[in-house]
PDB file of all heavy atoms in Angstrom:
ATOM      1  N   VAL F 173    -124.180   2.373 -36.701  1.00  0.00           N
ATOM      2  CA  VAL F 173    -123.680   3.476 -37.443  1.00  0.00           C
ATOM      3  C   VAL F 173    -122.232   3.232 -37.873  1.00  0.00           C
ATOM      4  O   VAL F 173    -121.841   3.599 -39.002  1.00  0.00           O
ATOM      5  CB  VAL F 173    -123.751   4.821 -36.653  1.00  0.00           C
ATOM      6  CG1 VAL F 173    -123.019   5.950 -37.302  1.00  0.00           C
ATOM      7  CG2 VAL F 173    -125.219   5.213 -36.470  1.00  0.00           C
ATOM      8  N   GLY F 174    -121.471   2.615 -37.025  1.00  0.00           N
ATOM      9  CA  GLY F 174    -120.031   2.378 -37.379  1.00  0.00           C
ATOM     10  C   GLY F 174    -119.836   1.241 -38.351  1.00  0.00           C
ATOM     11  O   GLY F 174    -118.779   1.150 -38.967  1.00  0.00           O
ATOM     12  N   LEU F 175    -120.868   0.407 -38.525  1.00  0.00           N
ATOM     13  CA  LEU F 175    -120.747  -0.693 -39.468  1.00  0.00           C
ATOM     14  C   LEU F 175    -120.669  -0.242 -40.948  1.00  0.00           C
ATOM     15  O   LEU F 175    -119.897  -0.780 -41.768  1.00  0.00           O
ATOM     16  CB  LEU F 175    -121.913  -1.647 -39.406  1.00  0.00           C
ATOM     17  CG  LEU F 175    -121.944  -2.541 -38.135  1.00  0.00           C
ATOM     18  CD1 LEU F 175    -123.200  -3.370 -38.149  1.00  0.00           C
ATOM     19  CD2 LEU F 175    -120.724  -3.418 -38.053  1.00  0.00           C
ATOM     20  N   GLU F 176    -121.368   0.774 -41.298  1.00  0.00           N
ATOM     21  CA  GLU F 176    -121.416   1.256 -42.673  1.00  0.00           C
ATOM     22  C   GLU F 176    -120.450   2.429 -42.813  1.00  0.00           C
ATOM     23  O   GLU F 176    -120.663   3.504 -42.337  1.00  0.00           O
ATOM     24  CB  GLU F 176    -122.776   1.762 -43.005  1.00  0.00           C
ATOM     25  CG  GLU F 176    -122.994   2.103 -44.493  1.00  0.00           C
ATOM     26  CD  GLU F 176    -122.723   0.870 -45.412  1.00  0.00           C
ATOM     27  OE1 GLU F 176    -123.016  -0.220 -45.078  1.00  0.00           O
ATOM     28  OE2 GLU F 176    -122.149   1.172 -46.495  1.00  0.00           O
ATOM     29  N   ARG F 177    -119.315   2.123 -43.469  1.00  0.00           N
ATOM     30  CA  ARG F 177    -118.267   3.144 -43.685  1.00  0.00           C
ATOM     31  C   ARG F 177    -118.413   3.599 -45.173  1.00  0.00           C
ATOM     32  O   ARG F 177    -118.726   2.830 -46.033  1.00  0.00           O
ATOM     33  CB  ARG F 177    -116.918   2.572 -43.363  1.00  0.00           C
ATOM     34  CG  ARG F 177    -116.723   2.228 -41.942  1.00  0.00           C
ATOM     35  CD  ARG F 177    -115.236   1.853 -41.703  1.00  0.00           C
ATOM     36  NE  ARG F 177    -114.756   0.815 -42.567  1.00  0.00           N
ATOM     37  CZ  ARG F 177    -114.700  -0.469 -42.268  1.00  0.00           C
ATOM     38  NH1 ARG F 177    -115.132  -0.850 -41.131  1.00  0.00           N
ATOM     39  NH2 ARG F 177    -114.271  -1.368 -43.078  1.00  0.00           N
ATOM     40  N   ASP F 178    -118.078   4.835 -45.403  1.00  0.00           N
ATOM     41  CA  ASP F 178    -118.122   5.371 -46.736  1.00  0.00           C
ATOM     42  C   ASP F 178    -116.650   5.603 -47.181  1.00  0.00           C
ATOM     43  O   ASP F 178    -115.748   5.701 -46.391  1.00  0.00           O
ATOM     44  CB  ASP F 178    -118.883   6.723 -46.756  1.00  0.00           C
ATOM     45  CG  ASP F 178    -120.346   6.557 -46.526  1.00  0.00           C
ATOM     46  OD1 ASP F 178    -120.849   5.497 -46.922  1.00  0.00           O
ATOM     47  OD2 ASP F 178    -120.936   7.542 -46.070  1.00  0.00           O
ATOM     48  N   ALA F 179    -116.452   5.567 -48.512  1.00  0.00           N
ATOM     49  CA  ALA F 179    -115.186   5.829 -49.083  1.00  0.00           C
ATOM     50  C   ALA F 179    -115.312   6.907 -50.149  1.00  0.00           C
ATOM     51  O   ALA F 179    -116.337   6.904 -50.943  1.00  0.00           O
ATOM     52  CB  ALA F 179    -114.658   4.533 -49.705  1.00  0.00           C
ATOM     53  N   LYS F 180    -114.320   7.815 -50.239  1.00  0.00           N
ATOM     54  CA  LYS F 180    -114.271   8.794 -51.231  1.00  0.00           C
ATOM     55  C   LYS F 180    -113.428   8.261 -52.431  1.00  0.00           C
ATOM     56  O   LYS F 180    -112.299   8.041 -52.247  1.00  0.00           O
ATOM     57  CB  LYS F 180    -113.652  10.137 -50.707  1.00  0.00           C
ATOM     58  CG  LYS F 180    -114.394  10.669 -49.557  1.00  0.00           C
ATOM     59  CD  LYS F 180    -113.599  11.801 -48.919  1.00  0.00           C
ATOM     60  CE  LYS F 180    -113.996  12.081 -47.549  1.00  0.00           C
ATOM     61  NZ  LYS F 180    -113.151  11.395 -46.596  1.00  0.00           N
ATOM     62  N   VAL F 181    -114.134   7.994 -53.535  1.00  0.00           N
ATOM     63  CA  VAL F 181    -113.474   7.389 -54.640  1.00  0.00           C
ATOM     64  C   VAL F 181    -113.576   8.205 -55.910  1.00  0.00           C
ATOM     65  O   VAL F 181    -114.493   9.094 -56.012  1.00  0.00           O
ATOM     66  CB  VAL F 181    -113.977   5.970 -54.986  1.00  0.00           C
ATOM     67  CG1 VAL F 181    -113.895   5.037 -53.829  1.00  0.00           C
ATOM     68  CG2 VAL F 181    -115.415   6.022 -55.506  1.00  0.00           C
ATOM     69  N   VAL F 182    -112.665   7.948 -56.822  1.00  0.00           N
ATOM     70  CA  VAL F 182    -112.767   8.574 -58.160  1.00  0.00           C
ATOM     71  C   VAL F 182    -112.995   7.416 -59.097  1.00  0.00           C
ATOM     72  O   VAL F 182    -112.140   6.517 -59.188  1.00  0.00           O
ATOM     73  CB  VAL F 182    -111.517   9.369 -58.586  1.00  0.00           C
ATOM     74  CG1 VAL F 182    -111.660   9.848 -59.975  1.00  0.00           C
ATOM     75  CG2 VAL F 182    -111.317  10.527 -57.599  1.00  0.00           C
ATOM     76  N   ARG F 183    -114.202   7.301 -59.717  1.00  0.00           N
ATOM     77  CA  ARG F 183    -114.548   6.264 -60.556  1.00  0.00           C
ATOM     78  C   ARG F 183    -115.002   6.872 -61.919  1.00  0.00           C
ATOM     79  O   ARG F 183    -115.853   7.673 -61.932  1.00  0.00           O
ATOM     80  CB  ARG F 183    -115.671   5.390 -59.940  1.00  0.00           C
ATOM     81  CG  ARG F 183    -116.011   4.123 -60.687  1.00  0.00           C
ATOM     82  CD  ARG F 183    -117.066   3.332 -60.028  1.00  0.00           C
ATOM     83  NE  ARG F 183    -116.546   2.663 -58.890  1.00  0.00           N
ATOM     84  CZ  ARG F 183    -117.293   2.011 -57.978  1.00  0.00           C
ATOM     85  NH1 ARG F 183    -118.658   2.057 -58.125  1.00  0.00           N
ATOM     86  NH2 ARG F 183    -116.776   1.481 -56.949  1.00  0.00           N
ATOM     87  N   LEU F 184    -114.370   6.391 -62.962  1.00  0.00           N
ATOM     88  CA  LEU F 184    -114.667   6.875 -64.334  1.00  0.00           C
ATOM     89  C   LEU F 184    -114.487   8.399 -64.390  1.00  0.00           C
ATOM     90  O   LEU F 184    -115.224   9.146 -65.078  1.00  0.00           O
ATOM     91  CB  LEU F 184    -116.102   6.535 -64.739  1.00  0.00           C
ATOM     92  CG  LEU F 184    -116.384   5.034 -64.842  1.00  0.00           C
ATOM     93  CD1 LEU F 184    -117.822   4.782 -65.123  1.00  0.00           C
ATOM     94  CD2 LEU F 184    -115.490   4.322 -65.861  1.00  0.00           C
ATOM     95  N   GLY F 185    -113.462   8.900 -63.649  1.00  0.00           N
ATOM     96  CA  GLY F 185    -113.103  10.337 -63.714  1.00  0.00           C
ATOM     97  C   GLY F 185    -113.948  11.251 -62.827  1.00  0.00           C
ATOM     98  O   GLY F 185    -113.717  12.415 -62.850  1.00  0.00           O
ATOM     99  N   ALA F 186    -114.985  10.682 -62.161  1.00  0.00           N
ATOM    100  CA  ALA F 186    -115.902  11.534 -61.296  1.00  0.00           C
ATOM    101  C   ALA F 186    -115.729  11.179 -59.846  1.00  0.00           C
ATOM    102  O   ALA F 186    -115.773   9.974 -59.498  1.00  0.00           O
ATOM    103  CB  ALA F 186    -117.293  11.349 -61.791  1.00  0.00           C
ATOM    104  N   PRO F 187    -115.577  12.159 -58.952  1.00  0.00           N
ATOM    105  CA  PRO F 187    -115.478  11.842 -57.503  1.00  0.00           C
ATOM    106  C   PRO F 187    -116.862  11.489 -57.007  1.00  0.00           C
ATOM    107  O   PRO F 187    -117.904  12.016 -57.405  1.00  0.00           O
ATOM    108  CB  PRO F 187    -115.018  13.151 -56.929  1.00  0.00           C
ATOM    109  CG  PRO F 187    -115.252  14.215 -57.983  1.00  0.00           C
ATOM    110  CD  PRO F 187    -115.391  13.567 -59.270  1.00  0.00           C
ATOM    111  N   LYS F 188    -116.844  10.439 -56.136  1.00  0.00           N
ATOM    112  CA  LYS F 188    -118.127   9.893 -55.599  1.00  0.00           C
ATOM    113  C   LYS F 188    -117.860   9.492 -54.128  1.00  0.00           C
ATOM    114  O   LYS F 188    -116.761   9.172 -53.800  1.00  0.00           O
ATOM    115  CB  LYS F 188    -118.605   8.672 -56.358  1.00  0.00           C
ATOM    116  CG  LYS F 188    -118.941   8.844 -57.804  1.00  0.00           C
ATOM    117  CD  LYS F 188    -119.382   7.579 -58.477  1.00  0.00           C
ATOM    118  CE  LYS F 188    -119.705   7.810 -59.924  1.00  0.00           C
ATOM    119  NZ  LYS F 188    -120.198   6.660 -60.572  1.00  0.00           N
ATOM    120  N   LEU F 189    -118.941   9.475 -53.342  1.00  0.00           N
ATOM    121  CA  LEU F 189    -118.946   9.004 -52.013  1.00  0.00           C
ATOM    122  C   LEU F 189    -119.815   7.781 -52.026  1.00  0.00           C
ATOM    123  O   LEU F 189    -121.008   7.779 -52.261  1.00  0.00           O
ATOM    124  CB  LEU F 189    -119.499  10.039 -51.055  1.00  0.00           C
ATOM    125  CG  LEU F 189    -119.432   9.647 -49.536  1.00  0.00           C
ATOM    126  CD1 LEU F 189    -117.991   9.529 -49.121  1.00  0.00           C
ATOM    127  CD2 LEU F 189    -120.177  10.651 -48.717  1.00  0.00           C
ATOM    128  N   ILE F 190    -119.130   6.566 -51.823  1.00  0.00           N
ATOM    129  CA  ILE F 190    -119.854   5.252 -51.889  1.00  0.00           C
ATOM    130  C   ILE F 190    -119.552   4.471 -50.616  1.00  0.00           C
ATOM    131  O   ILE F 190    -118.645   4.792 -49.882  1.00  0.00           O
ATOM    132  CB  ILE F 190    -119.435   4.460 -53.135  1.00  0.00           C
ATOM    133  CG1 ILE F 190    -117.954   4.154 -53.116  1.00  0.00           C
ATOM    134  CG2 ILE F 190    -119.750   5.168 -54.459  1.00  0.00           C
ATOM    135  CD1 ILE F 190    -117.429   3.135 -54.107  1.00  0.00           C
TER     136      ILE F 190
END
Side-chain angles (χ1 to χ4, degrees):
V173 168
L175 287 178
E176 189 59 38
R177 294 187 306 263
D178 291 331
K180 298 172 205 96
V181 303
V182 176
R183 186 179 285 170
L184 300 174
K188 298 179 180 183
L189 184 65
I190 63 171

